[in-house]
Amino acid sequence: MRLTAREDDMGDFRGITNLMMHAPPDTSAHVELSRIIKSLHEHDSPRPDYVDAWSPTAHLIAIRKADGTAVKVAHFAHTLNENVGEFGTGSYGSLTFDNGTPLLWDDGEVDYHMILIVMCEMATGHARAFCFAVAGSIPQRAGENMPNEILHALLNRRCDESLRVV
């Protein structure tokens, strides 16, 4: 999947976050996610009781095109927000992971946290896009996204560090 910040490339998912990746065509990886999304959609209440027993996790991994170096960008665990199962208008719904643990910088180095929104077709449950933001963590940065240039520099730094021989 290719990360984009260009709104023209985001199609139906423009304006959700400042960064997005289109999901690959239907694959076996969609099977479990599709089952969960369809299950949420079929219930009358926006948040079925069993959702509270979930322990969902997600990992965001980046691969640098130039040399194929892969690094973990963030880990999301037990952080589905209260909107899980409440689907937006139109044919798409979402699962939102808030406050992901960033793995591109050390604690306290920057005042941002990570958010991942998995956009899915309501009818099939198939993932169609992964919307991603690096958002301000402190009141002074509320509503502010990390500039893409800084995120790019942090990604390159972490890739470079992973290549160093210890």
Side-chain angles (χ1 to χ4, degrees):
M1 292 182 287
R2 191 177 127 275
L3 182 67
T4 185
R6 289 177 31 111
E7 286 195 0
D8 290 346
D9 294 340
M10 294 182 185
D12 291 344
F13 310 107
R14 175 183 299 123
I16 296 172
T17 57
N18 63 321
L19 300 166
M20 192 215 70
M21 296 168 281
H22 286 283
D26 296 342
T27 66
S28 61
H30 287 228
V31 174
E32 186 63 19
L33 181 61
S34 296
R35 186 185 64 75
I36 292 168
I37 296 296
K38 284 173 62 175
S39 172
L40 285 171
H41 177 59
E42 291 167 358
H43 285 78
D44 291 334
S45 67
R47 186 178 176 96
D49 292 339
Y50 66 84
V51 171
D52 292 324
W54 283 0
S55 296
T57 61
H59 299 272
L60 190 58
I61 298 170
I63 301 172
R64 185 164 53 187
K65 283 192 240 181
D67 59 9
T69 302
V71 294
K72 281 188 179 179
V73 175
H75 173 74
F76 302 86
H78 311 290
T79 55
L80 282 175
N81 74 9
E82 292 301 315
N83 294 323
V84 64
E86 293 179 4
F87 295 96
T89 59
S91 61
Y92 298 106
S94 65
L95 289 174
T96 301
F97 291 85
D98 288 327
N99 296 316
T101 303
L103 304 173
L104 292 179
W105 58 81
D106 297 323
D107 286 339
E109 187 176 2
V110 294
D111 298 319
Y112 292 91
H113 66 280
M114 298 196 177
I115 299 167
L116 176 64
I117 303 171
V118 182
M119 297 300 298
C120 304
E121 285 184 357
M122 287 171 46
T124 64
H126 292 172
R128 291 297 173 228
F130 298 92
C131 301
F132 171 66
V134 184
S137 296
I138 60 173
Q140 296 88 333
R141 296 208 187 282
E144 176 184 314
N145 287 322
M146 176 181 281
N148 292 339
E149 297 78 19
I150 294 174
L151 178 60
H152 188 257
L154 290 168
L155 283 165
N156 275 317
R157 180 182 77 176
R158 188 60 81 203
C159 285
D160 292 344
E161 288 171 355
S162 74
L163 292 174
R164 290 194 185 115
V165 178
V166 182

